[in-house]
Amino acid sequence: MAAEKHQPGKAKTQGDRAPAKGEHTRPEWAEGLRALYDSVVDEPLPDSFKDLLDRLDDPTPNGTS
């Protein structure tokens, strides 16, 4: 059985491999960030924001008649 050389700063874990050419790797935190983003996108728009958007869409100056 041949002894493996240990390289300082390189922890060897099972399943470590170099990415294949053209293969993209994601950092560990990327999946959590994606889940957080998706949860924010799925939140309903508050009524106050809907009212503000309606006023901004109103063609009259300052939203008054």
Side-chain angles (χ1 to χ4, degrees), residues 44-56:
L45 191 63
D47 289 337
S48 59
F49 279 27
K50 289 178 187 176
D51 293 342
L52 176 61
L53 291 173
D54 287 341
R55 288 191 314 192
L56 291 171

Side-chain angles (χ1 to χ4, degrees), residues 8-64:
K10 287 255 183 180
K12 190 101 167 143
T13 60
Q14 190 174 10
D16 278 354
R17 64 178 179 83
K21 186 174 182 176
E23 182 179 337
H24 299 284
T25 59
R26 288 186 174 166
E28 293 177 17
W29 49 264
E31 196 60 36
L33 185 60
R34 171 58 67 183
L36 176 63
Y37 173 81
D38 288 341
S39 71
V40 171
V41 169
D42 291 339
E43 287 182 12
L45 191 63
D47 289 337
S48 59
F49 279 27
K50 289 178 187 176
D51 293 342
L52 176 61
L53 291 173
D54 287 341
R55 288 191 314 192
L56 291 171
D57 286 339
D58 191 349
T60 58
N62 298 327
T64 59

